[in-house]
Amino acid sequence: MSIEINFHYKRNTISPKARKLFTSTDADTIVIAEQPLRLVSCDTPEKATYAGKPEESQPKLDRCKERLNNGFYDELPTGLRNYLRNKIINDAAKKHIDAAMDAIEAFEKMLSERLTLPDGSQRKIAVMPTGDLIDVYGRMLAYVSPWYKNTREDPLPPIGDPRRNTLNLDMISNGWAAFFPIYPSLPNNKDLNITIKAANEAWTQGKGAWEKYGKNLLLGYEYRMCIKLSEENKSASECIKDAFERICVDLRNLSVVGKFDFFNVPPSHRLWIWEEDLEQAKKDLDL
């Protein structure tokens, strides 16, 4: 009997990405190599590949600042305009890109320390996919930690031992990644609260990037906002739509502050929601 399936709901699909086939285990299971993996809930500064080297990206930031000053973006709240332009200093692009390279160095050092076994071999990683699983860039969204076999030779550390931390948490704790939780890719309540505490300590104590570059450093998502606000041949409304795609929630009181008032919330307490997910998030998170 011939049938036709016609489910009436929007599929969460993305365009295919090329990946190298590593091996197959049976006719319906394959292993691929070169699968990018995005550490969720954290955001590091952008490298020069995003908007160019400082000599290319600083003029873009300067154009953004000029527009924030000259009335082009008067539809944005005054507080937000002041917040962003105060961060766009003469060497803002260089500081941001330098911070990106420092974050990479810190991450590679952490990988070496946490994954290298006594015999010099490398420990496997535990991958915990979450939320939307695959983003629009083909990256798996996941929390990642060292893998312990939980044997006599390789026991699982006790709960609370920092060796059990995810790499996501460690990057936030050391101040080289900003806390960047996006619904629905959130950890469980216990881990979420641990991460909020670590993020707050990194921010208030000025760790990592904030220690080296100061608190006026543009965070990764703020840098991307400013670059989008600098785009030429677009109207103010078009640039604003591109730059501010998510709605912010203040984790301190679960109030929805919207797209433009996130600057009133400390970086450690900003939760982000895609606009199309807001109504469901209100139900799921009791906002």
Side-chain angles (χ1 to χ4, degrees), residues 157-176:
I159 294 176
D161 190 308
R163 290 175 295 172
R164 288 181 65 139
N165 287 356
T166 63
L167 305 184
N168 316 51
L169 174 59
D170 276 359
M171 286 298 289
I172 293 168
S173 298
N174 63 28
W176 287 111

Side-chain angles (χ1 to χ4, degrees), residues 142-192:
Y143 293 93
V144 180
S145 65
W147 175 265
Y148 290 88
K149 297 177 181 177
N150 202 21
T151 62
R152 179 181 298 179
E153 295 77 18
D154 189 30
L156 182 66
I159 294 176
D161 190 308
R163 290 175 295 172
R164 288 181 65 139
N165 287 356
T166 63
L167 305 184
N168 316 51
L169 174 59
D170 276 359
M171 286 298 289
I172 293 168
S173 298
N174 63 28
W176 287 111
F179 187 37
F180 193 48
I182 303 176
Y183 168 89
S185 301
L186 304 177
N188 62 54
N189 290 336
K190 180 180 179 181
D191 290 339
L192 178 60

Side-chain angles (χ1 to χ4, degrees), residues 28-206:
D28 63 5
T29 305
I30 65 173
V31 178
I32 59 174
E34 303 174 350
Q35 170 60 55
L37 193 154
R38 175 68 161 84
L39 301 185
V40 292
S41 293
C42 60
D43 189 37
T44 57
E46 295 288 348
K47 298 187 297 182
T49 50
Y50 180 76
K53 296 179 180 180
E55 56 267 29
E56 302 169 86
S57 50
Q58 185 63 43
K60 296 176 183 178
L61 293 181
D62 292 340
R63 182 163 58 248
C64 171
K65 185 172 185 177
E66 181 182 359
R67 290 176 169 183
L68 292 169
N69 284 329
N70 67 14
F72 188 81
Y73 285 127
D74 272 359
E75 61 185 284
L76 291 177
T78 301
L80 175 59
R81 282 183 277 136
N82 289 337
Y83 174 82
L84 292 177
R85 62 189 170 200
N86 287 340
K87 285 196 166 193
I88 302 176
I89 56 179
N90 292 337
D91 61 347
K94 183 179 186 305
K95 287 175 63 175
H96 187 87
I97 294 168
D98 286 350
M101 302 313 295
D102 288 341
I104 292 172
E105 183 179 347
F107 185 68
E108 291 177 345
K109 180 181 179 182
M110 180 179 67
L111 287 179
S112 176
E113 292 174 348
R114 297 200 61 194
L115 298 183
T116 302
L117 293 167
D119 63 2
S121 62
Q122 189 173 63
R123 184 183 297 279
K124 291 183 178 181
I125 59 172
V127 178
M128 296 154 276
T130 184
D132 291 330
L133 299 185
I134 302 292
D135 71 7
V136 295
Y137 303 106
R139 302 175 300 184
M140 179 184 292
L141 304 176
Y143 293 93
V144 180
S145 65
W147 175 265
Y148 290 88
K149 297 177 181 177
N150 202 21
T151 62
R152 179 181 298 179
E153 295 77 18
D154 189 30
L156 182 66
I159 294 176
D161 190 308
R163 290 175 295 172
R164 288 181 65 139
N165 287 356
T166 63
L167 305 184
N168 316 51
L169 174 59
D170 276 359
M171 286 298 289
I172 293 168
S173 298
N174 63 28
W176 287 111
F179 187 37
F180 193 48
I182 303 176
Y183 168 89
S185 301
L186 304 177
N188 62 54
N189 290 336
K190 180 180 179 181
D191 290 339
L192 178 60
N193 287 310
I194 289 173
T195 309
I196 292 171
K197 180 180 179 181
N200 188 55
E201 289 178 355
W203 167 247
T204 57
Q205 296 175 19

